[in-house]
Amino acid sequence: MHAHFRKYVVAAALGTLCATTAHAQTPAPAAPDWTFTGNVGIFSQYVFRGISQTNEKPALQGGLDLGHKSGFYIGTWLSNVSWISDAAPDASASLEWDMYGGYKFELPYDFIVDLGALYYYYPGSYPSGYTKPDTTELYAALTWKWFTAKYSYSVNNKTFGFPDSRGSDYWELNGTYDIVDKVNDAIGKVTVFGHIGKQKFKNNGFYDYGDWKVGISTEVYGVTVGIYGTDTDAETTAYTNRFGKNTGGSQFVGYVQKTF
């Protein structure tokens, strides 16, 4: 091999090696300090803890979330509702506006803890003497892989419109599992989910009940499409509105939702 050519080959090899080494040592992009996400969806009805909030009519819902890499987060979420005026015709309140914030952190063995506060706000006009349903709850949740156990505790005396109800609480267990990671280029993962819960109202025990939910969802071109069924063991007379509809009975919900 000609000496000049040999020097060229060696120099080229060294250059390639240095470039490869430099590339291998390039650190991965750092995670952003803040993340901002949103969601919007159309639901055949809005069911909250097993009770229809829209008298089995459609609901438009959406929310925004801001999170920091330290684990702190804040968010807001809105939906149309009708349950207040369905029960009291003199009341006019057609919006639920939730505001929340909290802190998430990881524990060993894939456990995640979530601690926070959630305020349910129902703006509108109410007749004199009506107990406004605005509610503040503190919550604690523990997640392990597919399961989340959560406890919510009301700290005000008008929990969803019930007087003298500080100390009302809600226990729940939720599970999600992806049975298919991806169907094809158009259809993404397929997820099954389930839920059981127990709502108790302090000093208003007639309205206590348990609820459950089971459903399935998938992603179609980046849009989540799902369906689920819910039911409760609530007293029929406790949750039958002035239109004669038992809002705590068996319900089915279909929805389309986009997260961005």
Side-chain angles (χ1 to χ4, degrees):
M1 180 181 293
H2 192 278
H4 178 73
F5 183 71
R6 185 166 59 246
K7 290 180 181 179
Y8 173 79
V9 172
V10 172
L14 288 173
T16 302
L17 177 61
C18 291
T20 303
T21 303
H23 178 73
Q25 293 176 348
T26 302
D33 290 345
W34 297 92
T35 56
F36 181 76
T37 59
N39 63 85
V40 63
I42 299 175
F43 292 69
S44 61
Q45 65 169 313
Y46 171 25
V47 177
F48 174 67
R49 295 178 180 174
I51 307 298
S52 178
Q53 308 292 289
T54 53
N55 202 30
E56 300 181 2
K57 292 182 174 61
L60 175 63
Q61 304 177 349
L64 298 170
D65 294 278
L66 178 65
H68 189 263
K69 65 180 183 180
S70 64
F72 288 101
Y73 63 88
I74 58 173
T76 187
W77 182 88
L78 300 96
S79 176
N80 60 289
V81 297
S82 66
W83 66 271
I84 298 169
S85 57
D86 291 342
D90 293 335
S92 178
S94 59
L95 176 69
E96 176 186 328
W97 183 4
D98 300 347
M99 291 157 271
Y100 50 87
Y103 177 63
K104 288 184 179 181
F105 59 94
E106 297 181 358
L107 294 177
Y109 304 106
D110 299 322
F111 285 99
I112 300 173
V113 176
D114 183 7
L115 305 174
L118 169 57
Y119 178 59
Y120 303 84
Y121 177 48
Y122 300 92
S125 60
Y126 297 88
S128 178
Y130 188 92
T131 302
K132 293 184 66 175
D134 301 341
T135 301
T136 301
E137 289 185 336
L138 305 180
Y139 60 83
L142 181 66
T143 297
W144 180 77
K145 294 186 178 181
W146 313 286
F147 303 101
T148 298
K150 185 177 180 181
Y151 176 67
S152 302
Y153 180 88
S154 174
V155 295
N156 66 347
N157 252 336
K158 52 182 181 178
T159 308
F160 301 116
F162 291 100
D164 192 26
S165 55
R166 180 183 288 112
S168 299
D169 58 14
Y170 186 72
W171 292 89
E172 59 185 296
L173 178 63
N174 303 286
T176 61
Y177 186 74
D178 296 337
I179 57 176
V180 177
D181 290 331
K182 183 178 180 180
V183 177
N184 52 42
D185 290 340
I187 302 176
K189 64 181 180 180
V190 179
T191 303
V192 293
F193 53 90
H195 157 94
I196 56 173
K198 179 65 177 181
Q199 177 72 66
K200 298 183 72 174
F201 291 103
K202 191 73 173 288
N203 300 317
N204 295 272
F206 177 66
Y207 296 92
D208 294 353
Y209 66 91
D211 71 290
W212 60 264
K213 174 171 68 177
V214 63
I216 187 170
S217 67
T218 188
E219 295 178 357
V220 181
Y221 290 109
V223 176
T224 301
V225 179
I227 187 171
Y228 60 84
T230 74
D231 203 355
T232 77
D233 61 3
E235 290 285 346
T236 300
T237 54
Y239 289 94
T240 298
N241 61 30
R242 63 189 177 93
F243 301 109
K245 189 164 292 184
N246 177 19
T247 58
S250 299
Q251 312 286 352
F252 291 94
V253 180
Y255 65 93
V256 177
Q257 188 177 47
K258 174 64 177 178
T259 299
F260 52 89

